[in-house]
Amino acid sequence: MFDLLYEYTVTSHANLPEMMESVFMTVGIVTFVASIVVAMIYYLLVNRMTDKFDQIVHWFIFLSIALVFAFVFAYAIANPYIDEGNPQPVLFWVMNTVYALVYFFVASVLLKKASKFATKIPF
């Protein structure tokens, strides 16, 4: 499933067959789950406890947490599969971050009604 999303982001210098077998599925699933979990923490835990975090700034902070995690995780998992001396697959890391953004936003739309105070966040 995640092979289709990530296949075009890896340069020809990387070990694409090895990455398809061991990296793409792991990175895709962990990014998906982590983005959903961070959104759930924001809406179901933090915003049910207090109304002080019902601003768009706090939503962006939690979004940033999900995006930084997605970027660092993709880097850490894919780095051993990159040939030395060749360009790093920055597009793979960036696209994983974009996918985390999409997952977090969709989870936000689905979970915002479950929150007690942040029903208008992100829009």
Side-chain angles (χ1 to χ4, degrees), residues 44-59:
L44 301 178
L45 186 65
V46 172
N47 277 313
R48 283 191 174 216
M49 290 190 304
T50 180
D51 62 346
K52 297 187 187 317
F53 293 104
D54 65 342
Q55 299 172 0
I56 194 75
V57 173
H58 300 108
W59 184 81

Side-chain angles (χ1 to χ4, degrees), residues 13-103:
H13 302 291
N15 297 325
L16 183 61
E18 291 177 16
M19 288 185 74
M20 287 178 72
E21 288 178 13
S22 58
V23 173
F24 291 166
M25 186 63 81
T26 304
V27 169
I29 290 172
V30 170
T31 299
F32 178 76
V33 170
S35 298
I36 302 298
V37 166
V38 171
M40 289 174 72
I41 289 170
Y42 177 72
Y43 284 102
L44 301 178
L45 186 65
V46 172
N47 277 313
R48 283 191 174 216
M49 290 190 304
T50 180
D51 62 346
K52 297 187 187 317
F53 293 104
D54 65 342
Q55 299 172 0
I56 194 75
V57 173
H58 300 108
W59 184 81
F60 276 114
I61 290 170
F62 278 84
L63 173 65
S64 299
I65 292 169
L67 297 183
V68 167
F69 175 79
F71 186 87
V72 170
F73 186 76
Y75 174 80
I77 296 297
N79 200 30
Y81 294 92
I82 306 304
D83 296 334
E84 289 191 27
N86 292 320
Q88 300 292 321
V90 176
L91 184 59
F92 173 67
W93 305 326
V94 170
M95 285 308 298
N96 191 53
T97 307
V98 170
Y99 294 143
L101 171 80
V102 170
Y103 301 149

